[in-house]
Amino acid sequence: MNISRNAPDNEPTLSGFDALVAEIKQERDELRLQIKLGESELKNKWEYLETKWHDLNRKIHASAIKLQPAADAAKEAGANIDIAMEILLDEIKTGYRHIREKL
């Protein structure tokens, strides 16, 4: 994932996340419309991913609120959050792709 950087302090911004989150949200919305009475394995996967999706959104909002006032002190923590978000986004995106392939 490409995370844009602001000059001169080279701090990451959420714009790279915003684009990926929007892409995954669109995929999620499309899949939600297609899943009705599908296989129970897909329903279980969907429910698991829905939990992850809601958790991700909670973390995005919480980190934005917490990190904004303490941006300087949170640079290292922010990098760890970026990595964790990328992993979570990838897991959700891969899971949605798996469901789409099974439909």
Side-chain angles (χ1 to χ4, degrees):
M1 174 190 349
N2 293 332
I3 300 173
S4 60
R5 305 265 178 198
N6 293 330
D9 56 1
N10 211 25
E11 288 184 329
T13 65
L14 291 180
S15 63
F17 285 126
D18 292 341
L20 186 55
V21 168
E23 177 187 335
I24 293 172
K25 181 186 181 304
Q26 180 178 350
E27 179 76 9
R28 174 183 176 260
D29 292 344
E30 290 171 7
L31 289 171
R32 186 175 13 169
L33 292 174
Q34 292 182 15
I35 293 180
K36 293 182 182 173
L37 298 175
E39 299 175 29
S40 66
E41 177 185 337
L42 293 180
K43 284 184 178 182
N44 291 340
K45 183 70 172 179
W46 175 259
E47 290 170 5
Y48 171 77
L49 291 170
E50 280 294 281
T51 300
K52 293 284 192 176
W53 174 257
H54 293 293
D55 186 46
L56 170 68
N57 280 301
R58 183 183 52 76
K59 287 178 180 179
I60 287 172
H61 296 315
S63 66
I65 291 168
K66 290 178 183 176
L67 292 179
Q68 188 62 37
D72 292 337
K75 282 183 183 180
E76 187 175 332
N80 292 334
I81 289 170
D82 288 349
I83 292 167
M85 294 279 204
E86 286 179 33
I87 291 168
L88 187 55
L89 285 167
D90 185 56
E91 179 181 0
I92 293 169
K93 185 176 181 177
T94 300
Y96 286 159
R97 185 178 308 123
H98 174 76
I99 290 173
R100 179 169 298 284
E101 290 169 359
K102 297 289 184 180
L103 288 175

